[in-house]
Amino acid sequence: MTTATEELLTVPEVMALLKLGRSKVYDLIRSRRLPSITIDRSRRIPALAVRSFIADRIEEAA
C-alpha cells in the first residue's frame, strides 16, 4: 500500500528512469509487473515499485 510520504511518479518519469517507451511501461502496468494506482484519470507509479522492479530484474540476471 502506498504511504503518504512515498513519492508517486508519472508514466513519463518512469519511462525516463527505465529508458523505456510509453507502450512498454503500460505493458508492465497491465501485466502487473509494475504496480500502479489511478487518481481520477491519472496513472501514478510508486517510486518504491520502480526500485523493486529494477532490483528484481538485477536479481534475475545474476
Side-chain angles (χ1 to χ4, degrees):
M1 182 170 191
T2 303
T3 62
T5 59
E6 187 175 322
E7 182 179 358
L8 295 174
L9 304 172
T10 63
V11 170
E13 289 170 332
V14 174
M15 290 167 51
L17 284 171
L18 298 179
K19 309 287 192 269
L20 295 173
R22 181 180 204 85
S23 296
K24 184 61 179 178
V25 172
Y26 277 109
D27 180 51
L28 293 171
I29 290 169
R30 269 191 298 278
S31 64
R32 299 181 188 251
R33 289 184 284 169
L34 190 59
S36 67
I37 62 170
T38 303
I39 302 171
D40 292 328
R41 293 184 55 145
S42 300
R43 180 69 60 175
R44 295 293 181 263
I45 300 96
L48 179 61
V50 176
R51 289 191 294 274
S52 293
F53 176 80
I54 293 168
D56 291 346
R57 299 295 87 63
I58 291 171
E59 195 173 295
E60 285 177 7

